[in-house]
Amino acid sequence: MDIPADKPKRKINYLNLFWLTSTPIAAAIGVTWYWVHNGFPWANLLVFTLMYLATGLSITAGYHRYYSHRSYECGKVLQLFYLIFGAAAAQNSVLNWACDHRDHHRYVDGEKDPYNIGKGFFYAHMGWILYSDPYANERKKNAPDLLKDPFVLWQDRWYPFLVVAVSFGLPTFLGLLLGHPLGGFLWGGLFRMVVVHHMTFLINSAAHVWGGKPYSMNNSARDNWILAPLTFGEGYHNFHHKFPADWRNGIRWHQFDLTKWWLWITQALGLTSKLKSVPEPLILKARLDVEMEKAKQKLASNSTIREKAQEALDRGRQRFLSAMERYQKAKTDYSRAKRYWSAAMRREIRNDIRQYSKELAAARQAWGQAMRLVNGFSYSGAKNMVFLTALADIFRSR
Ligand SMILES: [Zn+2]
Ligand SMILES: [Zn+2]
């Protein structure tokens, strides 16, 4: 009989327990009391919004995409901004935050995942913070780059001071300038901190429970478009776990990812550079692998057509991937070399791009049609041949 290994004992962290339970209560009472006695001055909303954006983006663009994943490069000014306002989010120093987060990716859904969703929604959301972490020292091995960064070490040392000064002192001061110091403290300090806390916590809880898995079925992370606006774009979490080094989480132009837009703007201003993105054919391959796996599961019980159907789908998938590779390569070649080419050569490659784009659209349409056919198919002896012929026709005509 297997004897389970002893799990390290966890002690309750009373400071965190007090902080995470008292601040939402104090914020709710304080904001309501202020509203009843002083109305709703626009200055409070302004201070709240400024502090919300600065601290929220410092967590998503700074703590997460820059310090934890190094998905781009940025200069000292922006680094300091992220460190100062990241501390004001009161979610620990970036050194500890990034060590936890790197282990979350490395051990996702396992015992050493600090916010393992397998231990329940509440545990992944905030329960894990209420206990001391038995792996805290071990996790530091994760971050040799951060341990060498003097700014990061400075922030780690001064973290409690920064929380007091920037999370609460600054909004109170901004409120004072606008004639509402207590409003600034309550809205821009306390209430804003609680909102940003739970906005981050939702990624560890809800984005591992609700939503689709378009890029990987190997872990619990989900893409959730409702969470995306609440979390500055981090709701596209299934993509993020598959490709954590990509600077985007919502990769399509229509997917709400405020952090992506912020990085794009700071790049235009020269503050951010070398945004890392995964090549489009690799992203497509991940998506098609998932869809192929689901199709295989759907057809698994039908031994009469299983193999032939899979062969046809494999051909369609390969054609789709090749079309994407040709199209992306032509586009990359064109953008790299257009300065040195003659007008005639540029025209030629533009025609190629147009042609490849049409082939890509046809391959995409065929794949979509095939998936609809497979998903709508229900087993019946008489329908087998009709199904196979229809599937073959989809890919034959394109
Ligand atoms: Zn996650
Ligand atoms: Zn991450």
Side-chain angles (χ1 to χ4, degrees):
M1 193 177 87
D2 283 344
I3 298 168
D6 273 352
K7 285 181 187 162
K9 288 248 180 318
R10 289 169 185 254
K11 289 188 205 134
I12 291 180
N13 181 326
Y14 287 99
L15 177 65
N16 287 356
L17 177 65
F18 170 74
W19 187 251
L20 286 180
T21 48
S22 64
T23 49
I25 296 168
I29 295 172
V31 162
T32 313
W33 173 87
Y34 190 92
W35 205 327
V36 170
H37 289 86
N38 301 285
F40 187 78
W42 63 267
N44 292 355
L45 193 62
L46 179 67
V47 178
F48 172 87
T49 307
L50 289 176
M51 288 297 294
Y52 176 59
L53 288 173
T55 53
L57 284 170
S58 292
I59 291 295
T60 60
Y63 270 40
H64 186 215
R65 298 192 201 181
Y66 180 67
Y67 284 106
S68 300
H69 295 300
R70 300 293 191 191
S71 64
Y72 62 94
E73 287 180 13
C74 69
K76 301 266 186 283
V77 172
L78 216 47
Q79 287 177 27
L80 273 175
F81 176 83
Y82 291 148
L83 291 173
I84 290 168
F85 284 95
Q91 297 181 13
N92 218 330
S93 68
V94 76
L95 182 61
N96 292 314
W97 199 104
C99 285
D100 285 342
H101 192 71
R102 285 178 186 182
D103 269 7
H104 169 60
H105 279 266
R106 192 170 168 195
Y107 301 114
V108 64
D109 303 330
E111 171 59 24
K112 286 190 183 174
D113 174 355
Y115 14 97
N116 177 5
I117 194 68
K119 294 182 180 175
F121 188 96
F122 179 77
Y123 183 87
H125 190 75
M126 59 185 278
W128 67 280
I129 311 168
L130 309 180
Y131 295 94
S132 64
D133 180 4
Y135 302 106
N137 288 331
E138 202 183 309
R139 298 196 199 285
K140 290 269 164 41
K141 290 179 193 152
N142 238 343
D145 54 330
L146 299 176
L147 288 166
K148 274 188 270 176
D149 185 331
F151 281 11
V152 168
L153 298 177
W154 167 82
Q155 194 233 27
D156 191 57
R157 183 159 177 224
W158 291 96
Y159 171 71
F161 170 79
L162 289 169
V163 172
V164 175
V166 189
S167 195
F168 298 107
L170 181 65
T172 310
F173 178 68
L174 289 175
L176 179 69
L177 293 180
L178 297 164
H180 300 277
L182 184 59
F185 170 80
L186 289 171
W187 281 85
L190 205 52
F191 179 55
R192 179 269 320 157
M193 187 194 71
V194 172
V195 172
V196 177
H197 269 169
H198 290 275
M199 154 187 152
T200 310
F201 300 166
L202 279 172
I203 295 303
N204 301 332
S205 55
H208 278 267
V209 175
W210 296 306
K213 292 184 173 183
Y215 299 100
S216 170
M217 311 241 281
N218 295 337
N219 60 66
S220 60
R222 317 282 175 137
D223 270 13
N224 184 317
W225 64 270
I226 298 172
L227 274 181
L230 299 175
T231 57
F232 291 3
E234 308 269 55
Y236 295 102
H237 205 52
N238 184 258
F239 176 84
H240 175 61
H241 268 268
K242 179 69 183 172
F243 300 113
D246 199 300
W247 66 285
R248 310 154 300 172
N249 279 12
I251 47 165
R252 303 290 162 228
W253 66 267
H254 55 86
Q255 290 179 326
F256 189 102
D257 185 347
L258 187 68
T259 311
K260 164 182 80 175
W261 297 322
W262 161 260
L263 293 175
W264 187 80
I265 290 166
T266 54
Q267 186 189 38
L269 295 171
L271 298 168
T272 292
S273 61
K274 297 187 182 163
L275 299 171
K276 289 182 199 157
S277 50
V278 177
E280 200 62 38
L282 273 184
I283 297 174
L284 179 66
K285 184 176 178 307
R287 196 162 65 77
L288 295 189
D289 283 351
V290 169
E291 289 178 13
M292 192 72 190
E293 192 49 45
K294 286 180 185 162
K296 273 186 189 168
Q297 285 170 12
K298 170 92 185 163
L299 297 166
S301 59
N302 191 333
S303 58
T304 325
I305 59 163
R306 192 172 52 205
E307 277 172 29
K308 284 219 160 68
Q310 276 179 24
E311 277 169 26
L313 287 171
D314 266 331
R315 277 200 304 279
R317 172 170 67 163
Q318 204 40 55
R319 192 176 303 173
F320 194 175
L321 282 172
S322 306
M324 176 61 90
E325 273 162 21
R326 272 198 303 276
Y327 174 69
Q328 289 294 337
K329 186 175 178 313
K331 264 185 30 174
T332 312
D333 287 351
Y334 185 70
S335 65
R336 273 192 198 142
K338 64 183 170 188
R339 266 188 266 163
Y340 312 107
W341 292 1
S342 67
M345 284 176 81
R346 285 206 300 271
R347 208 173 310 121
E348 201 174 309
I349 190 91
R350 271 203 303 273
N351 286 339
D352 280 353
I353 291 175
R354 223 168 284 138
Q355 178 60 26
Y356 294 154
S357 164
K358 275 186 201 156
E359 287 172 15
L360 178 61
R364 177 178 287 123
Q365 200 191 4
W367 181 260
Q369 230 176 313
M371 284 299 108
R372 281 193 294 280
L373 187 68
V374 170
N375 290 327
F377 179 68
S378 56
Y379 176 73
S380 147
K383 281 190 196 161
N384 281 342
M385 289 319 292
V386 178
F387 171 78
L388 278 183
T389 313
L391 193 60
D393 278 352
I394 288 172
F395 294 123
R396 188 179 298 126
S397 59
R398 293 166 174 104

